[in-house]
DNA sequence: GGACTTAACTTATCACGTGAACTAATGGGT
DNA sequence: ACCCATTAGTTCACGTGATAAGTTAAGTCC
């Protein structure tokens, strides 16, 4: 019972960055006495600290509370199709250090697992002093992560041609491992510290090489029965249309994925792809903006598909916010936000459309590793990490 | 705090129909002592009763608990496009009486409000003895019911050409009024007593003249930011396709709504529509089954559209169950369940598809009035009805 | 510097869930 | 027929934890 309130208080402190006891009282809905007790516990545990004070128009100054940055650490790993990036975060969610291993998704999974181990080992070498305070390793994986009946997790990245991999195999250095889909990881980051902050109902749509989504429903990330909800990229938007790497026809990803967009441009007479997808995409958008009819046609089609997809989500889910991210998504929001908004509105009912705001991701690059780290911090919230430590110690 | 447990216990008793204290202990997760206390309270309130006993292999017999049918009553109103049906339910969810008023959705809203009042008045006339134990009137309305900032509700049935109507205007006879969309009402009925029972994640898709949906997420009906989530009928499935009564092109309803299906058959050379849509639809399915190429083509197209729609929902939501209802839906599940299943699988990823079962609605007719009545019973669960009564009495 | 304000802590109390002991109700063995 | 084993359900003393009210802390303002 106390657990619930502890979780609520600590969540609010981490979420807000800085708070006061009075604010917690108001937001969590407990009496000042209880807040005092719970905050006292959290300070004793070392995860919360008084980080300053503000005068209060004639009275005792307010003690400002915040997470104690050195109270706990977590690793967040962005396991992408192009390599592994592992970042070390402190409890204030700042990146302390970072280790990258270039790779390729055509490699066997065992190689990727090795890459993670190498990166984690390098970080441990440099930060052995804080290692005992690590809550775990969060993994953002490039495919649906299912929860099995026994509570274990399995990665099913079929579209990459990988076999089903038990997440336990990623376990590195005896750290507790927590895994989730990359899109859900970024959605979690947006929900805690990004553009979806404070929204009870939001959609986080990500456009990169692949197309993914995270849905926030009643303030929590939606998982579905076997936690593979959110495979939006493979929802059919043009039945019988282009073939997708998932094998079906007409998926959103087959129209709004980076490769699909650039291939379509080439097919319509655009230049051959440049060294990086980013450069090509910028070239496409520049060409469209400067009156190139072919380029404009490609971009319009993409905007139309994305508008139809997002419009459908608005009708289905009635979100108050739609966050668009991923590197392609960010470029589109930079250059064509108005067109996207119009397309989205055209494909949805007036009222739910008017209730949703369309915003870009809050993070310049992506926030996948951050989202993975948040996942690894979550055991801290309900005290299960602390009690496990006690158990081990006793 | 007690409220939560009271709610859990009473919900389980109503849901199960009959239970025992031992079962409640197991399911709700409280000690036998607490179950005794809470059940004692509920019996004292008159909403729960010991309805029998079972011998227990050499020991004191188990007392079987169930809802006390006469403990409370509620009205459920199905406000459809063709009239109003108000049903009176007791706490065991049996229909005690029923009153219908034929109508037409081209009538002004005020007329419909009058029809509800007339039906409710007729029922009160016949059941004045139980009137004081009515928890309220649940309204299932033919359009999205939004919750306003002040907690009041407004009906926005734009597609019927109705203006926005405050739900308060439907208030009849000084009864507390609770409103929801018709599709959500039926979804609620399926969730409590129908085909979605026990499912934590389910989709209830309804096909009649219109196409609607209710989504069950984490065991609760999903509402969205302004509670107009679930407008699945107006999700675009064929961008740029047929015009829908909502004004957009290519909506699911424009392909899978009863009128759309029958018009398409006529367009392709089918016979002119018969007296009732039901008869025409049966004729269409019969013709398709007996080798009529035009009819089979129409049916195949409908199955394809519905499969694409449901497949998308499976990818997005990862439900464990998909319930298909509504009169058209029931006919299709009778005649073409296999085809529907195949279409759905074709339009979704293998894993989430294999995790979802496809089942018809549990109710022969529709269960909209039942769902509306459940809505009106809900204040009983958290004790807010009881405390209101006390307040009024004191 | 005393009156006043506001924050945060302490204390007495109360609500509620729990385990353990106890009562209730029945079947079966002798 | 009687009593004990068995299972169901209740009562009770206790512990946890939230709370309101009262207290102490740390300032501002006149």
């Amino acid at each position: 019972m106390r657990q619930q309130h502890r979780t609520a208080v600590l969540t609010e402190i981490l979420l807000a960055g800085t708070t006061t006891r009075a604010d917690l009282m108001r937001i969590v809905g407990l009496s000042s006495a209880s807040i005092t007790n719970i905050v006292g516990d959290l300070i004793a545990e070392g995860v919360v600290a008084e980080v300053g004070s503000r005068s209060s128009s004639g009275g005792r100054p307010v003690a400002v509370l915040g997470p104690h940055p050195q109270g706990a650490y977590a690793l967040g790993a962005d396991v992408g199709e192009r390599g592994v990036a592992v970042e070390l975060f402190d409890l204030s969610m700042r990146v302390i250090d970072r280790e990258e291993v270039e790779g390729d998704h055509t490699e066997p999974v065992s190689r990727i697992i090795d890459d993670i181990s190498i990166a984690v080992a390098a970080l441990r070498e440099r930060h052995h002093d804080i290692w005992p305070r690590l809550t775990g390793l969060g993994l953002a994986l490039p495919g649906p992560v299912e929860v099995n009946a026994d509570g274990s997790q399995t990665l099913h990245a079929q579209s990459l041609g990988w076999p089903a991999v038990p997440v336990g195999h990623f376990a590195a250095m005896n750290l507790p491992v927590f895994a989730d889909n990359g899109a859900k990881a970024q959605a979690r980051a947006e929900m805690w510290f990004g553009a979806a902050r404070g929204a009870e109902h939001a959609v986080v749509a990500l456009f990169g090489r692949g197309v993914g989504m995270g849905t926030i429903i009643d303030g929590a990330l939606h998982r579905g029965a076997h936690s593979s909800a959110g495979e939006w990229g493979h929802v059919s938007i043009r039945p019988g249309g282009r073939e997708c790497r998932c094998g079906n026809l007409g998926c959103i990803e087959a129209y709004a994925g980076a490769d699909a967009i650039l291939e379509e441009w080439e097919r319509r007479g655009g230049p051959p792809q440049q060294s990086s997808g980013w450069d090509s995409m910028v070239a496409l958008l520049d060409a469209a903006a400067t009156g190139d009819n072919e380029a404009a046609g490609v971009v319009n089609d993409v905007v139309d598909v994305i508008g139809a997809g997002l419009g459908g989500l608005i009708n289905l889910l009635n979100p108050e916010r739609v966050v668009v991210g991923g590197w392609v998504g960010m470029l589109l929001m930079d250059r064509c936000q108005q067109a996207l908004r119009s397309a989205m509105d055209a494909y949805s009912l007036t009222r739910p459309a008017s209730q949703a705001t369309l915003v870009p991701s809050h993070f310049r690059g992506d926030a996948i590793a951050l989202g993975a780290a948040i996942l690894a911090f979550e055991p801290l919230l309900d005290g299960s990490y602390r009690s496990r430590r006690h158990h081990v110690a006793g």
Side-chain angles (χ1 to χ4, degrees), chain A:
Chain A
M1 171 188 347
R2 177 67 162 266
Q3 214 85 310
Q4 275 178 33
H5 292 158
R6 178 207 145 94
T7 303
V9 170
L10 182 51
T11 302
E12 179 54 29
I13 292 174
L14 295 183
L15 205 61
T18 59
T19 345
T20 64
R21 289 180 177 81
D23 286 346
L24 290 171
M25 196 176 140
R26 201 170 31 77
I27 294 170
V28 179
L30 289 172
S31 67
S32 65
S34 298
I35 295 292
T36 292
N37 286 330
I38 294 171
V39 170
D41 290 356
L42 294 172
I43 291 177
E45 271 175 49
V47 292
V48 166
E50 297 199 348
V51 297
S53 66
R54 279 201 308 261
S55 71
S56 64
S57 64
R60 174 171 172 169
V62 196
V64 178
L65 302 169
H68 181 55
Q70 287 79 47
Y73 298 84
L75 294 169
D78 177 358
V79 182
E81 302 182 9
R82 300 187 187 267
V84 173
V86 182
E87 296 182 345
L88 173 62
F89 292 83
D90 69 15
L91 197 51
S92 68
M93 302 298 166
R94 258 196 303 271
V95 180
I96 303 298
D97 199 353
R98 180 185 162 83
E99 188 71 29
E100 235 172 300
V101 182
E102 295 275 316
D104 186 322
H105 70 277
T106 59
E107 291 172 354
V109 180
S110 62
R111 175 67 193 279
I112 303 227
I113 293 174
D114 289 346
D115 289 349
I116 297 173
S117 296
I118 291 167
V120 171
L123 289 169
R124 187 172 64 170
E125 196 60 35
R126 296 204 288 273
H127 302 279
H128 53 92
D129 50 319
I130 61 108
W131 217 250
R133 272 168 293 167
L134 264 186
T135 59
L137 167 62
L139 290 173
L141 301 172
V145 175
E146 286 187 11
V147 177
N148 305 313
D150 65 353
S152 68
Q153 297 181 299
T154 308
L155 167 66
H156 296 277
Q158 288 172 290
S159 61
L160 301 183
W162 290 6
V165 189
V167 165
H169 290 184
F170 289 96
M173 315 269 147
N174 256 340
L175 285 171
V177 175
F178 311 91
D180 206 345
N181 174 334
K184 285 208 195 72
Q186 174 143 2
R188 181 174 277 110
E190 297 287 353
M191 177 176 137
W192 278 76
F193 305 109
R197 201 165 162 168
E200 287 286 287
H201 299 269
V203 161
V204 179
L206 298 171
F207 301 89
R209 284 195 61 197
V211 173
M213 187 186 83
T215 317
I216 293 154
I217 289 179
D218 288 319
L221 214 55
H222 170 50
R223 316 201 56 81
H226 295 264
S227 78
S228 58
E231 285 299 317
W232 185 52
H234 302 289
V235 168
S236 181
I237 194 83
R238 293 275 155 87
R242 284 189 211 156
E243 188 173 358
C244 176
R245 59 175 169 168
C246 77
N248 284 343
L249 304 176
C251 296
I252 292 177
E253 192 169 297
Y255 291 86
D259 297 346
I261 296 173
L262 295 176
E263 281 163 21
E264 178 67 10
W265 191 26
E266 220 174 317
R267 203 175 304 139
R268 295 204 204 173
Q273 293 200 23
Q274 303 186 20
S275 51
S276 85
W278 169 271
D279 290 337
S280 300
M281 195 63 69
V282 170
L284 168 63
L285 290 166
D286 285 345
T290 55
D292 177 327
N293 277 338
E294 268 61 48
V298 171
V299 172
N300 282 344
D301 285 359
V302 169
V303 165
D304 192 67
V305 164
I306 294 178
L310 293 178
L313 293 180
I314 283 179
N315 280 350
L316 276 179
L317 302 172
N318 187 208
E320 63 202 89
R321 210 171 299 166
V322 175
V323 179
V324 170
W327 61 270
V328 176
M330 292 305 272
L331 278 173
L332 287 170
M333 287 296 277
D334 259 8
R335 317 289 192 100
C336 341
Q337 179 161 352
Q338 290 310 315
L340 259 178
R341 175 83 230 187
S342 307
M344 193 172 90
D345 289 349
Y347 284 107
S348 50
L349 296 172
T350 315
R351 291 198 63 80
S354 70
Q355 289 158 353
T357 57
L358 174 67
V359 296
S361 162
H362 170 264
F363 304 99
R364 13 21 11 220
D366 49 27
I368 296 180
L370 171 59
I374 294 171
L375 192 64
F377 274 129
E378 279 177 0
L380 209 65
L381 293 177
D382 60 15
S384 60
Y385 172 67
R386 184 181 37 125
S387 58
R388 194 170 50 74
R389 259 203 310 199
H390 270 265
H391 188 69
V392 170

